[in-house]
Amino acid sequence: MSTLTIVVRYFASARAAAGEEEEKVQLPSGASVGDAVAELRRLHPSDLPRVLDAASYLLDGFAVRDLTRPLHDGAELDVLPPFAGG
């Protein structure tokens, strides 16, 4: 089975919950954004799932609303928790 590697970048409370600013994650070829989010839940089971429930995602700098969107090798997935302020 072939794999792809993505870079996940965490911001604000997502960074605190993951305990790191960014990490590389390997997934099976054909994986989607939703598959990546499921893997992040598995990798960081204590605090990150709560943040992921409310987070928004950017894939290569573009907002992702459809978590079935496929990933490509080398993609950058940003995890953006809700921000307060105005």
Side-chain angles (χ1 to χ4, degrees):
M1 174 193 287
S2 65
T3 62
L4 57 88
T5 301
I6 65 168
V7 175
V8 179
R9 300 187 307 174
Y10 299 103
F11 294 87
S13 61
R15 180 183 301 149
E20 54 195 338
E21 191 169 315
E22 78 175 40
E23 68 181 314
K24 291 185 178 180
V25 176
Q26 282 198 320
L27 298 161
S29 291
S32 68
V33 172
D35 296 327
V37 172
E39 180 65 4
L40 297 177
R41 288 177 189 280
R42 189 188 71 73
L43 292 171
H44 304 281
S46 58
D47 296 328
L48 191 57
R50 173 185 53 79
V51 176
L52 294 173
D53 287 342
S56 299
Y57 303 97
L58 297 179
L59 180 59
D60 296 327
F62 294 96
V64 175
R65 306 236 186 295
D66 179 5
L67 297 185
T68 65
R69 186 165 173 191
L71 297 168
H72 61 87
D73 192 52
E76 287 187 349
L77 182 66
D78 295 341
V79 179
L80 305 171
F83 293 97

